[in-house]
Amino acid sequence: MLSAKRDTKAAKHFFKKVLNASHTIVPRVITVDKNAADPPAIEALKADEALPKTTETRQSKYLNNTVEQDHRFIKRRSNPGLGFGSFNTARRTLKGYETMNMIRKGQIKGADRGDVIGQISFIHEIFGVAVW
């Protein structure tokens, strides 16, 4: 999730969004990186009873690598761009990168991973553009 600041408020908003997702089950352990904003956000969610009190918080720079690995394709495209002019430009550009990455990984209905023709058809359906 992209936010202008990586503070406790943004972390709490992120965790609420993840916990309310349809595919999320109640976590036994939450592994986060070494950001100082995450533990207070998790404690606030426990106080609000959005998260069980028994949920453990584990801070580890390396155990969170599965989440970070998903971002490597995005970083490969955004890093050579030398930054963005504004937060809104970054938000819109990264949303497009994420969408195309999801299509490539087969996370959409009607176009599996590796089904290039199906992916092209999907993009053509949505945007009316395709290279044939």
Side-chain angles (χ1 to χ4, degrees):
M1 186 178 103
L2 180 69
S3 64
K5 296 180 181 173
R6 197 165 176 207
D7 56 3
T8 303
K9 182 180 175 186
K12 186 176 176 183
H13 178 72
F14 168 75
F15 287 125
K16 273 187 175 180
K17 186 174 182 178
V18 170
L19 290 170
N20 289 331
S22 61
H23 65 275
T24 303
I25 58 171
V26 177
R28 182 181 59 79
V29 177
I30 297 176
T31 304
V32 295
D33 58 7
K34 296 286 186 170
N35 185 15
D38 292 334
I42 293 170
E43 291 303 318
L45 289 172
K46 287 180 182 179
D48 295 344
E49 296 182 357
L51 203 59
K53 302 246 186 252
T54 57
T55 302
E56 294 178 44
T57 305
R58 178 171 53 182
Q59 283 190 304
S60 173
K61 181 178 178 182
Y62 302 105
L63 290 175
N64 214 15
N65 276 345
T66 54
V67 174
E68 294 299 325
Q69 284 297 314
D70 192 45
H71 297 160
R72 75 172 175 230
F73 295 105
I74 308 309
K75 290 179 182 177
R76 186 169 36 181
R77 286 190 169 72
S78 62
N79 286 346
L82 302 174
F84 301 99
S86 69
F87 178 76
N88 283 327
T89 301
R91 181 180 54 80
R92 287 189 298 264
T93 304
L94 292 175
K95 191 176 280 192
Y97 288 165
E98 289 281 354
T99 302
M100 294 307 292
N101 197 35
M102 288 175 68
I103 293 169
R104 184 190 59 78
K105 291 189 325 185
Q107 295 177 337
I108 56 167
K109 290 182 181 176
D112 294 329
R113 181 183 186 124
D115 179 15
V116 177
I117 302 298
Q119 293 172 3
I120 291 170
S121 297
F122 177 77
I123 292 169
H124 179 68
E125 276 181 43
I126 292 179
F127 301 112
V129 295
V131 179
W132 293 106

